[in-house]
Amino acid sequence: MLAGTLPAVRFLGRVLTADQVMAERLSPSTSLSCIGACFLRSASKRAMIRSALPLFATRRLSSLRAVAASLRQSPLDPVHIRLFQDAGRRSLSSSPGSAAAARSAASDPVQLRSAREDIRELLKTTFCHPILVRLGWHDSGTYDKNIEEWPQRGGANGSLRYDVELKHGANAGLVNALKLLQPIKDKYSGVTYADLFQLASATAVEEAGGPKIPMKYGRVDVIGPEQCPEEGKLPSAGPPSPADHLREVFYRMGFNDKEIVALSGAHTLGRSRPERSGWGKSETKYTKDGPGAPGGQSWTVQWLKFDNSYFKDIKEQKDEDLLVLPTDAILFDDPSFKIYSEKYAQDQDSFFKDYAEAHSKLSNLGAKFDPPEGISIDDDGKGSNPEPFQAAKYSSGKRELSEAMKQKIRREYEAVGGSPDKPLKSNYFLNIMIVVALLAFLTSLLGN
C-alpha cells in the first residue's frame, strides 16, 4: 500500500467527497476490494473513510480476507459489506498468490546495488572473477532466437541454479560459483537469481580492469527445474569444425562474427582445468601458486586481468604454458574472424567497446523483464552527484508520481533545454509581469 496515505486521506476528506478521496488515492496496484469500497454511494463520507483506513494504514497485508474480517462495525449496510468482501475475494483469485509467483518478481534496485558491493568484496578475497563471468554466460547462453515462448527459449532466467542444469557437461564446476553467490542471494531476497548471475558476471569483468558493461536488471526467474533447457546448447571446446560450430551456436543466439570474436576475448580471464573440461594442463608456472585454488592452464599470463592480451597470445602461440583451444586458434585462421582478431590484438579500446556491447546483449538474451524496460542501477554513479529527482517538487499533490509520469515531466523539461535536476534560469521580467497581472485580477475581484 502507499506509504503515508493515512494523513493524506484525512486531509483530503475535509475537501472532497468520499468517492473522490478514494479515487485520488488509488494506484494501478490498488486491490479490487479498495475499488469496491470506493463507489458504495449510500455510505456517508465519514463512514467510507473510516472503513477504508485499515487498508491504507497497513503497509504489508497477509491477505485481503483478513482485512475484511477485521473491519469494525460501521454504518455500511450488510449488502455493501458483502460487496466489499466479494471484491476482496475476486482480487485474491485474480492475482498470483503463490510463493513461486512472489519469487518471480522484479529485483529491488536498492538490494541490487548492495549486492554489487558484496560481490566486489567477494572478488577481493576469493579471486573468483573467471568463474562468475562463466556463470552469467552459461545461464544466458542457452537462448534460441527461433523460440518465442518464455522460458522455453532459454536465456538469462536463473535456471542454472537447479541441479539438472548444473550437471550438464559444459557447466562442470559452476556449482562452486553458485556456492559463492548463495550467501549474497540469501542476504538479498529481493534480487532474482537471473539478475544476480548477470550482475556478478558484469561486475567481475569491470573489477578485473575490463570495460563498464551497460546493464539493466529486473529479470524474472524460472520457478522449477522442469523449466531448465535441454543439454547441448553451449559451445564446445574442441568440435570437428570449430568455425562452423561457433557460428552454429552463436548465430542461434543472434550474434554475428564480430560479436563472436569479441566475446571470445573474455578468455583473457581464467584457466581451464582438465578434471572439469578435459582440456589444459594440471598446472603451469602461471597457475601453480594461485591466486585462489592453484592449478589449471590459463590463456594469458595475467589471467585475472581483463585486457586484449588473449588476442596477442593466441596470435603468437609462443608460450607452451598458455592454452590454445581449437576454438581459439580458429579466430586467426578463419578469414572473417581474423579481421576482428587482428584489430583487437592491436587496439584494446576497440576490443573493450565491442566486448561491452556484446556482453550486454548476451546478458539480456531470453530474459523476461519486470518492468519490461528493465531497471538501471548505474544512476548512483561515481563522480558528480546531481540532485535526485523528487516528484514532490513537480506536483501539488501528496502522492508519489508514477515512473511513467516522471519520465514525461523529464522529457518536457529537456524539450526546452532544461532538466528537473537543473531547472531553467528564471525570467525575472516575466515573473514581475505575472505578479502585476495577478494583483490586477485580484483587485478587480475585490472591487466587484
Side-chain angles (χ1 to χ4, degrees):
M1 289 301 170
L2 299 174
T5 305
L6 182 56
V9 169
R10 286 174 176 164
F11 170 77
L12 291 172
R14 302 189 189 113
V15 182
L16 304 174
T17 63
D19 53 347
Q20 287 173 324
V21 172
M22 299 298 291
E24 283 292 321
R25 304 312 307 165
L26 290 175
S27 71
S29 60
T30 306
S31 64
L32 289 178
S33 58
C34 298
I35 298 173
C38 177
F39 298 104
L40 298 179
R41 300 189 176 208
S42 65
S44 68
K45 174 180 70 178
R46 184 175 301 172
M48 283 304 305
I49 295 175
R50 183 167 62 249
S51 300
L53 286 180
L55 291 175
F56 292 100
T58 306
R59 291 178 62 91
R60 187 179 298 273
L61 303 178
S62 59
S63 75
L64 291 176
R65 292 194 186 97
V67 174
S70 69
L71 288 175
R72 296 177 296 176
Q73 291 183 353
S74 72
L76 291 175
D77 58 65
V79 174
H80 290 148
I81 291 176
R82 282 199 303 274
L83 287 172
F84 182 84
Q85 292 174 334
D86 288 345
R89 282 192 288 272
R90 286 195 300 272
S91 175
L92 285 170
S93 64
S94 63
S95 61
S98 66
R103 287 195 299 271
S104 296
S107 296
D108 184 316
V110 175
Q111 291 195 28
L112 279 165
R113 293 187 181 101
S114 298
R116 179 170 60 186
E117 293 305 313
D118 285 12
I119 291 170
R120 287 169 175 163
E121 292 302 315
L122 177 70
L123 291 167
K124 292 177 184 177
T125 56
T126 61
F127 311 102
C128 58
H129 305 67
I131 199 169
L132 293 189
V133 174
R134 183 169 165 242
L135 178 69
W137 276 42
H138 284 214
D139 192 49
S140 60
T142 59
Y143 174 66
D144 189 336
K145 68 178 182 181
N146 301 309
I147 301 175
E148 294 184 2
E149 295 80 11
W150 183 92
Q152 292 89 333
R153 63 192 182 211
N157 56 31
S159 62
L160 191 47
R161 70 187 189 273
Y162 292 111
D163 286 344
V164 64
E165 188 171 347
L166 281 171
K167 291 178 180 178
H168 290 179
N171 294 329
L174 285 180
V175 64
N176 297 315
L178 186 61
K179 290 178 180 178
L180 288 170
L181 290 180
Q182 190 59 51
I184 298 177
K185 179 67 177 74
D186 294 340
K187 183 177 179 181
Y188 303 108
S189 59
V191 176
T192 62
Y193 279 98
D195 272 349
L196 183 62
F197 294 167
Q198 300 307 322
L199 175 65
S201 182
T203 303
V205 169
E206 294 166 11
E207 293 298 301
K212 176 71 176 177
I213 312 296
M215 298 289 291
K216 67 176 182 177
Y217 299 94
R219 297 169 185 81
V220 175
D221 279 343
V222 297
I223 59 175
E226 69 279 359
Q227 295 178 314
C228 291
E230 62 185 14
E231 187 170 5
K233 292 192 171 184
L234 295 169
S236 173
S241 178
D244 291 342
H245 174 70
L246 287 175
R247 289 191 173 99
E248 178 184 357
V249 171
F250 283 93
Y251 283 10
R252 186 203 70 223
M253 291 188 275
F255 290 110
N256 56 34
D257 285 359
K258 181 180 78 170
E259 292 165 326
I260 292 173
V261 177
L263 289 172
S264 297
H267 278 155
T268 191
L269 295 178
R271 302 162 285 178
S272 176
R273 294 181 179 274
E275 66 272 19
R276 296 178 185 172
S277 66
W279 293 88
K281 299 178 180 179
S282 58
E283 71 173 27
T284 69
K285 60 186 176 185
Y286 304 121
T287 65
K288 65 179 181 179
D289 297 322
Q297 186 175 12
S298 60
W299 284 265
T300 61
V301 175
Q302 294 180 291
W303 48 270
L304 285 177
K305 180 181 179 182
F306 196 100
D307 56 19
N308 67 336
S309 59
Y310 165 81
F311 296 103
K312 296 178 180 178
D313 293 335
I314 295 298
K315 181 180 180 180
E316 295 176 356
Q317 297 190 32
K318 294 180 179 179
D319 193 332
E320 293 184 354
D321 273 344
L322 297 180
L323 180 63
V324 180
L325 297 171
T327 47
D328 298 318
I330 198 63
L331 298 181
F332 282 91
D333 293 338
D334 181 88
S336 179
F337 290 158
K338 184 176 181 179
I339 295 172
Y340 304 106
S341 299
E342 292 281 4
K343 178 183 178 181
Y344 297 153
Q346 299 174 8
D347 188 347
Q348 180 169 283
D349 290 341
S350 293
F351 166 53
F352 274 23
K353 176 181 178 296
D354 292 346
Y355 177 83
E357 293 174 357
H359 185 127
S360 177
K361 178 178 176 179
L362 176 65
S363 73
N364 296 335
L365 293 181
K368 180 169 71 173
F369 286 92
D370 180 14
E373 67 274 15
I375 302 167
S376 173
I377 63 171
D378 291 327
D379 52 2
D380 62 336
K382 303 168 183 177
S384 61
N385 294 313
E387 181 183 359
F389 182 88
Q390 297 179 5
K393 292 184 178 180
Y394 314 103
S395 172
S396 59
K398 299 295 184 182
R399 61 175 177 164
E400 180 70 3
L401 297 181
S402 66
E403 286 298 320
M405 182 58 71
K406 290 179 185 179
Q407 294 303 320
K408 182 176 183 296
I409 293 172
R410 186 175 293 278
R411 287 194 297 271
E412 290 174 352
Y413 266 86
E414 292 172 348
V416 293
S419 166
D421 298 330
K422 187 178 181 182
L424 292 173
K425 295 181 179 179
S426 297
N427 187 324
Y428 296 105
F429 178 76
L430 180 60
N431 291 343
I432 292 172
M433 294 300 294
I434 292 173
V435 171
V436 170
L438 287 174
L439 290 174
F441 177 71
L442 292 173
T443 302
S444 65
L445 288 179
L446 291 173
N448 293 334

